[in-house]
Amino acid sequence: MPYSIVWFKRDLRVYDHAALYYAAQRGPVLCLYIVEPSLWAEPDAANQHYQFLLESLRDLYAELRRCGGQLQVVTGEIPIILDRLFKQAPFAALYAHEETGNGLTFRRDLAVARWCREHAVVWHEFAQFGVVRRLKNRNLWQKNWEAHVGCRCLPIPNLQSVQLPWHEPPPPTAEQLGLAQYTPNNRQHGGRRLGLSVLHSFLTDRSGQYRGGISSPLSAPTACSRLSPYLAYGCLSLREVVQATRQQIANLPLDGSRRKQGLNAFISRLYWHCHFIQKLESEPELEYFNLHRGYDGLRENDWNQIHFEALVAGRTGWPLVDACVAMLNDTGWLNFRMRAMLVSVAAYPLWLHWRPVGLWLAGQFLDYEPGIHWSQLQMQAGTTGINAARVYNPIKQAQDHDPQGHFVRRWLPAMRRVPDAWLFEPWLMTPDIQARCGVQVGMDIAEPLVDLAIATRQAKAKVHALRAQPDIKAAKATIVDKHASRKRPGSKRRSKAKESGQLELDFEF
Ligand SMILES: Cc1cc2nc3c(=O)[nH]c(=O)nc-3n(C[C@H](O)[C@H](O)[C@H](O)COP(=O)(O)OP(=O)(O)OC[C@H]3O[C@@H](n4cnc5c(N)ncnc54)[C@H](O)[C@@H]3O)c2cc1C
């Protein structure tokens, strides 16, 4: 009997799953997840990603059982698995969601398309986000996003299940895949059940803190939705999250305006989710190269391993930066502002090229989503050519968002002994004061690697000098046409940044 394969990727759910729904309309389906060793050997892969994936697969397995299906988890490289399956039990069609992943998944999808053509297998691909394949420019992009999120969510289909024609051993361990041992102790766990419960607690309760709570690293862990890993692995569909949020806004009483503002701002971020992924979809090279190629050579040849190692070890000497690294190591998550600050510190005073910094952070962020990640890295490093330089001063950020030092003292125990007067610049304590409070700068807490003001000024001058060159300016229009946002839904504010094509990403309310 002819059957279809549904190839699950980062879309680990059965609800609102276009590939599964349409394959089921056609007849029996084999539900396949393929653990690809080559993908897990990539430098952006991490053990925590694999653990989250396995947890999500467990939920998916149970969900598929409930609707008559059976998840088959196979290990190997996709064309080889397809070949083996096709020889033993030929199939007529392959169903999957489009994926905007890293360079390897891009090349792998081209190979799968080739394989399908050669074997006369029809490959049906569906958009799972408001991201458009083969987009010409951004003029109608917002309309498309609205159309995507506004469609009816697809129901869970009843499945006629097909089994694998061979016995497959259990998936490999992280160790067998060669993944480093480290996983954050307090990371979020995978699966649709948990994703739905995080969504529920956000919509019904925590969204009340979104307004005003998302910038400080103290309030952000509960004020932010914390949905990012569930969206990145597709445990929840973007459309269902947007629709549930809109429904919640509609149900709020008239005096719920603070909550409404928070929920509307949250929807803008779901829009940005796709806006940024679209950049990588339209320009896969931005994972490796400067979006504006006129910036090539800006930092690449000045690599400073000592700066990089100090950053990774949380020993830059700026307490807020080092505390963020400690929190990231423990939780796999940081809020937007702290992520932007980390990259800004790396790119400006420490003058580090964004690519190795981005690879390190890709492994640290549980929610690593290549399209958002690499676009953001370049934006914060100032290499897109279209965004005004945004440089975050880690001392000012600490004064604004952790004025009492609760955050830095939580994550850097030695800071608990530093008197309030020296909280933001502990390296200025004299040896006498250090001795009195029992903290040695350079030992218990790091000494800044560079003079922040001087290093930042020099870095900005280099970027501005390049930016001012006529040929660099001239190349900007093409990038704006291809990548810049035209309008953000729900935004009434205009700003210089917006006019230059930059979204304001963590505006205060
Ligand atoms: C250098 C850098 C790297 C980043 N890398 C990632 C990444 O790999 N994966 C990722 O999901 N987000 C990334 N972000 C964006 C943002 O920081 C996270 O989405 C957010 O902190 C996740 O927490 P949340 O789900 O509670 O966010 P919320 O504020 O509740 O936002 C809800 C959702 O909207 C989307 N979103 C929020 N902010 C942004 C943004 N600025 N750009 C695009 N989409 C956004 C995410 O899908 C997020 O889950 C990055 C930001 C920076 C500055």
Side-chain angles (χ1 to χ4, degrees):
M1 175 141 155
Y3 72 99
S4 309
I5 291 183
V6 176
W7 173 23
F8 285 89
K9 303 198 245 176
R10 283 163 68 111
D11 50 0
L12 305 175
R13 61 178 186 277
V14 296
Y15 179 64
D16 196 31
H17 193 294
L20 183 68
Y21 179 83
Y22 289 109
Q25 309 261 302
R26 187 190 162 110
V29 293
L30 191 152
C31 297
L32 189 65
Y33 183 87
I34 304 178
V35 177
E36 300 160 85
S38 59
L39 192 54
W40 293 101
E42 284 286 284
D44 55 357
N47 196 330
Q48 61 168 333
H49 302 150
Y50 191 57
Q51 301 308 331
F52 191 93
L53 166 82
L54 293 177
E55 289 153 8
S56 302
L57 286 178
R58 270 176 223 128
D59 265 19
L60 179 63
Y61 181 86
E63 285 186 348
L64 281 167
R65 285 299 286 262
R66 282 197 287 275
C67 59
Q70 176 144 26
L71 180 64
Q72 316 283 345
V73 181
V74 173
T75 304
E77 300 306 327
I78 294 191
I80 297 170
I81 304 284
L82 292 179
D83 256 350
R84 188 174 170 199
L85 256 174
F86 197 72
K87 279 191 188 121
Q88 296 190 30
F91 50 90
L94 176 67
Y95 285 77
H97 276 125
E98 288 170 351
E99 180 177 2
T100 310
N102 63 10
L104 187 134
T105 66
F106 181 59
R107 291 190 299 278
R108 169 260 262 157
D109 282 355
L110 293 176
V112 170
R114 228 176 5 255
W115 185 94
C116 287
R117 275 195 307 275
E118 286 164 8
H119 294 80
V121 166
V122 187
W123 187 9
H124 302 275
E125 279 195 285
F126 303 86
Q128 79 157 337
F129 299 137
V131 172
V132 183
R133 201 143 267 192
R134 288 176 276 279
L135 183 72
K136 295 251 172 350
N137 62 44
R138 285 293 191 126
N139 293 343
L140 295 174
W141 192 84
Q142 188 198 333
K143 244 185 164 171
N144 179 80
W145 187 85
E146 277 301 338
H148 178 87
V149 298
C151 279
R152 183 177 71 100
C153 285
L154 293 168
I156 299 173
N158 286 321
L159 300 173
Q160 282 174 267
S161 174
V162 175
Q163 305 284 318
L164 261 188
W166 65 80
H167 173 74
E168 179 73 17
T173 60
E175 203 181 0
Q176 286 165 335
L177 286 171
L179 291 163
Q181 243 183 8
Y182 151 80
T183 59
N185 283 334
N186 291 304
R187 69 171 169 85
Q188 291 173 273
H189 289 269
R192 180 167 171 84
R193 244 169 347 117
L194 283 174
L196 282 173
S197 113
V198 172
L199 176 64
H200 179 76
S201 79
F202 178 68
L203 291 182
T204 57
D205 176 22
R206 294 182 296 110
S207 51
Q209 308 164 38
Y210 201 77
R211 187 183 161 191
I214 60 173
S215 290
S216 164
L218 280 167
S219 48
T222 50
C224 290
S225 73
R226 307 302 306 273
L227 287 169
S228 51
Y230 302 102
L231 290 169
Y233 286 83
C235 305
L236 303 178
S237 94
L238 182 88
R239 183 188 285 129
E240 78 173 310
V241 175
V242 172
Q243 292 186 7
T245 308
R246 287 186 168 155
Q247 188 60 52
Q248 183 70 14
I249 293 172
N251 291 345
L252 279 173
L254 283 175
D255 61 357
S257 65
R258 190 184 169 84
R259 291 273 302 283
K260 276 189 189 163
Q261 283 170 340
L263 289 171
N264 277 317
F266 169 67
I267 290 183
S268 311
R269 281 157 183 84
L270 298 174
Y271 172 86
W272 297 343
H273 165 278
C274 302
H275 166 78
F276 282 98
I277 296 177
Q278 183 68 58
K279 290 179 193 249
L280 186 65
E281 173 64 36
S282 300
E283 190 120 4
E285 294 211 318
L286 77 77
E287 178 188 351
Y288 307 103
F289 302 108
N290 297 315
L291 184 64
H292 190 317
R293 297 305 300 265
Y295 287 74
D296 285 1
L298 178 67
R299 297 184 181 89
E300 290 87 327
N301 305 324
D302 295 342
W303 183 249
N304 187 323
Q305 187 65 16
I306 293 173
H307 285 187
F308 181 64
E309 281 173 15
L311 176 68
V312 169
R315 298 277 300 172
T316 65
W318 298 302
L320 187 60
V321 175
D322 295 344
C324 281
V325 173
M327 173 172 163
L328 192 52
N329 286 337
D330 187 61
T331 65
W333 184 85
L334 278 178
N335 60 328
F336 171 80
R337 183 174 280 261
M338 295 302 112
R339 293 185 198 208
M341 181 194 69
L342 270 190
V343 175
S344 167
V345 163
Y348 288 92
L350 300 184
W351 199 244
L352 292 169
H353 178 44
W354 53 266
R355 170 75 185 163
V357 174
L359 281 177
W360 163 59
L361 288 175
Q364 297 297 111
F365 293 153
L366 177 63
D367 58 24
Y368 171 52
E369 174 66 62
I372 303 178
H373 190 72
W374 295 112
S375 310
Q376 281 290 348
L377 253 296
Q378 291 224 33
M379 199 164 111
Q380 303 306 333
T383 52
T384 62
I386 56 172
N387 304 117
R390 275 199 143 196
V391 183
Y392 291 75
N393 176 329
I395 301 172
K396 183 171 183 309
Q397 291 301 315
Q399 288 161 343
D400 290 350
H401 298 292
D402 185 29
Q404 269 92 43
H406 294 311
F407 180 75
V408 295
R409 285 178 171 138
R410 171 165 180 208
W411 292 104
L412 304 176
M415 285 298 294
R416 294 172 199 163
R417 304 197 295 274
V418 172
D420 281 355
W422 309 100
L423 194 57
F424 305 114
E425 296 169 289
W427 58 90
L428 296 181
M429 288 190 294
T430 60
D432 193 35
I433 300 170
Q434 292 182 37
R436 253 185 283 142
C437 61
V439 173
Q440 206 180 332
V441 174
M443 293 293 288
D444 306 309
I445 50 176
E447 181 140 27
L449 295 159
V450 292
D451 180 298
L452 183 67
I454 296 174
T456 306
R457 202 179 318 121
Q458 286 171 346
K460 278 163 94 171
K462 285 189 220 170
V463 176
H464 288 156
L466 196 60
R467 209 180 161 87
Q469 287 179 14
D471 51 333
I472 301 276
K473 278 187 179 165
K476 203 171 130 179
T478 320
I479 302 172
V480 168
D481 192 45
K482 193 164 177 185
H483 293 292
S485 158
R486 301 297 191 264
K487 185 173 178 282
R488 195 182 67 217
S491 171
K492 297 195 180 78
R493 289 158 46 117
R494 287 200 68 73
S495 69
K496 268 193 197 154
K498 192 171 169 198
E499 276 150 18
S500 73
Q502 175 172 338
L503 295 165
E504 283 191 76
L505 287 167
D506 61 342
F507 56 88
E508 300 293 346
F509 294 86

